Amino acid sequence: MRIQLSDHFTTGKLLRFVAPSIVMMIFTSVYGVVDGLFVSNFVGKTAFAAVNLIFPLLMILGALGFMIGTGGSALVARTLGEGDSGRAQRYFSMLVYVTIGGGIVFSVLGLLFLRPIAVLLGAQGAMLEDCVVYGGILLAGQTMFMLQNVFQSFLITAEKPHFGLGVTVAAGLTNIILDFLFIAVFRWGVAGAAIATAASQFVGGGVPLLYFARPNRSLLRLGKTKLDSRALLKACTNGSSELMTNLSSSLVTVLYNFQLMQLAGEDGIAAYGVIMYVNFIFIAIFIGYSIGSAPGYHHGAGNSTELKSLFRKSLLLVGAAGVALTAAAEALALPLTRIFVGYDAALLAMTCRGFRLYSLSFLLTGFNIFSSGFFTALNDGFVSAVISFLRTLVFQTAVVLVLPALMGTDGIWLAIVVAELLALAVSAWFLWRKRGKYRYA
């Protein structure tokens, strides 16, 4: 039975509606992890460290897609809720075209400055060459990566979450199969990993592009439009928190890598890479829920009753998920890390301990991700951006600079826990402060 944005969401219906988004994000994370898994086991820890060293640059350049996807879908959902489908179609088309243009520009700039940036990040020798090969191939397909991120949000707004899930699964299987062929069979090393990932992004970004370009049964379709600077600015403002999250996370990763290089060398970077890969899978549940449950339609329609119901249910579900994920992470730390670095006993021990400390943050992370996404859906980009900026950049930067001096390597793993705790205080304050304005509590 089809669930529409205008429906009343019981807990069961809410879970069914957000399930495709959650599975989609988990699957996206899983197939992203596959690169690291194959590279670590078939190419070696130097190549694995190189992939993790250059990855933040790729995420920084791809952040435009996250911003337009989340901010733009909130704007389009609100416009649909107001009953103006024609204007919503024009907004949607404009935002997709802007993403394509931005992707081309960022690809060119990234390719021009890839090697000096890799050197600046600390890559040398074989690691430097691996960074350039891996990064160069993925930068060539940067536009499709950005479109993939844009369409993950817009397919929810178009009431096609199951189609979005299907596309993500197809992209994931493409990456997994090609990783196996290119790395394990053909032995193409990091180049094989990059080609496999780029191919999957062409599936993830290209298939929805073709779908929306043709007549379809969704709420959205690409068509003629014109540049609306006010709407573009609104979409960018709405999505600024997601932009800030990705930019900040990438910059903080660079800082983590720098600190780990000083304290633990190449092994430290490899260990952090494993933790990040596994972390992506766990927090994908929170991100998927945040995308799938975004209340932009009810906000636009002025339906405060549904907004209140959605808010209460979400807090309970996010809290329960946090407890369950933390327990699962503690129990599965050793088998999960062994999959990546079981060939090196010292690296395995460091990684397992680090993940057990890092995973305590799952108790808090969900509330902060939901809060930021909630305000984005309400078209309050400023509050959403403040939460994300403090959570992903300010607090983490401050803590990762201080704690290692007091606790050594353990301070790096625990930095995220302290940062999420500080961010939770900020999220709670904004949720309390804005409850009257948006009437969700």
Side-chain angles (χ1 to χ4, degrees):
M1 184 173 124
R2 182 184 176 190
I3 302 175
Q4 298 178 306
L5 293 172
S6 56
D7 286 352
H8 166 66
F9 282 91
T10 61
T11 301
K13 184 177 286 188
L14 175 60
L15 288 173
R16 289 198 303 275
F17 188 75
V18 302
S21 299
I22 294 173
V23 175
M24 181 169 60
M25 290 306 302
I26 291 174
F27 208 90
T28 300
S29 301
V30 168
Y31 84 71
V33 167
V34 170
D35 270 4
L37 183 63
F38 276 97
V39 169
S40 180
N41 284 280
F42 290 95
V43 189
K45 66 181 181 182
T46 298
F48 181 58
V51 169
N52 290 294
L53 195 67
I54 203 63
F55 191 72
L57 172 64
L58 304 174
M59 293 303 295
I60 288 172
L61 294 179
L64 177 67
F66 290 101
M67 177 179 70
I68 291 180
T70 52
S73 62
L75 176 63
V76 170
R78 189 184 71 177
T79 307
L80 288 171
E82 292 170 349
D84 195 341
S85 61
R87 185 156 54 97
Q89 302 279 7
R90 292 192 296 274
Y91 286 165
F92 167 66
S93 299
M94 175 192 67
L95 293 168
V96 171
Y97 300 152
V98 167
T99 301
I100 294 173
I104 294 171
V105 171
F106 287 168
S107 291
V108 173
L109 292 175
L111 288 168
L112 287 174
F113 296 102
L114 177 59
R115 182 174 288 273
I117 290 175
V119 172
L120 186 63
L121 293 175
Q124 300 177 16
M127 184 185 291
L128 173 60
E129 297 309 315
D130 285 338
C131 285
V132 173
V133 170
Y134 186 81
I137 293 171
L138 286 182
L139 283 169
Q142 188 74 6
T143 300
M144 285 300 169
F145 173 58
M146 292 167 61
L147 284 174
Q148 183 179 21
N149 296 328
V150 165
F151 288 133
Q152 281 181 345
S153 296
F154 274 120
L155 283 166
I156 305 301
T157 304
E159 294 182 345
K160 290 293 180 179
H162 291 89
F163 176 69
L165 174 59
V167 171
T168 302
V169 170
L173 291 175
T174 299
N175 194 22
I176 292 170
I177 293 170
L178 293 182
D179 264 332
F180 174 75
L181 287 175
F182 296 162
I183 302 175
V185 178
F186 298 159
R187 301 288 178 172
W188 290 355
V190 294
I195 294 170
T197 298
S200 73
Q201 291 168 355
F202 270 83
V203 174
V207 172
L209 182 64
L210 292 175
Y211 174 79
F212 285 119
R214 299 168 59 85
N216 61 74
R217 296 181 179 179
S218 78
L219 299 179
L220 301 174
R221 183 188 174 188
L222 289 171
K224 293 182 179 180
T225 186
K226 62 180 180 179
L227 182 64
D228 186 328
S229 57
R230 181 175 296 179
L232 179 60
L233 179 61
K234 182 62 177 175
C236 292
T237 303
N238 288 344
S240 59
S241 61
E242 279 64 32
L243 173 69
M244 184 56 62
T245 295
N246 284 278
L247 290 178
S248 300
S249 296
S250 299
L251 293 172
V252 168
T253 296
V254 172
L255 181 57
Y256 270 75
N257 284 336
F258 177 80
Q259 291 283 68
L260 284 164
M261 184 69 84
Q262 306 302 311
L263 291 171
E266 188 179 287
D267 278 4
I269 294 178
Y272 183 63
V274 173
I275 293 171
M276 286 299 95
Y277 279 126
V278 180
N279 172 67
F280 290 155
I281 298 174
F282 280 74
I283 68 169
I285 295 173
F286 296 126
I287 296 173
Y289 182 86
S290 179
I291 293 173
S293 65
Y297 185 95
H298 292 304
H299 173 54
N303 193 343
S304 60
T305 301
E306 282 301 317
L307 204 56
K308 291 175 183 178
S309 174
L310 179 62
F311 178 71
R312 288 195 302 269
K313 290 180 175 67
S314 294
L315 290 182
L316 291 173
L317 290 171
V318 168
V323 173
L325 289 177
T326 303
E330 295 294 332
L332 298 174
L334 181 58
L336 286 175
T337 53
R338 182 179 284 128
I339 293 172
F340 287 89
V341 292
Y343 54 82
D344 188 317
L347 180 55
L348 175 63
M350 177 192 295
T351 306
C352 185
R353 177 175 176 78
F355 182 63
R356 284 198 168 117
L357 294 175
Y358 191 99
S359 63
L360 295 174
S361 64
F362 298 150
L363 289 168
L364 313 168
T365 301
F367 291 108
N368 293 321
I369 291 175
F370 171 75
S371 298
S372 179
F374 188 72
F375 283 112
T376 295
L378 295 176
N379 285 265
D380 195 332
F382 174 76
V383 171
S384 182
V386 168
I387 294 173
S388 291
F389 178 71
L390 293 175
R391 170 182 169 254
T392 60
L393 183 61
V394 175
F395 293 151
Q396 283 204 59
T397 299
V399 177
V400 82
L401 287 173
V402 173
L403 278 189
L406 302 174
M407 304 175 64
T409 307
D410 283 353
I412 296 180
W413 310 135
L414 287 170
I416 183 65
V417 182
V418 178
E420 292 287 2
L421 184 61
L422 294 172
L424 181 62
V426 175
S427 297
W429 186 83
F430 274 120
L431 288 172
W432 176 262
R433 184 77 174 79
K434 296 287 185 175
R435 70 194 191 285
K437 178 178 179 179
Y438 296 115
R439 297 182 296 168
Y440 53 75

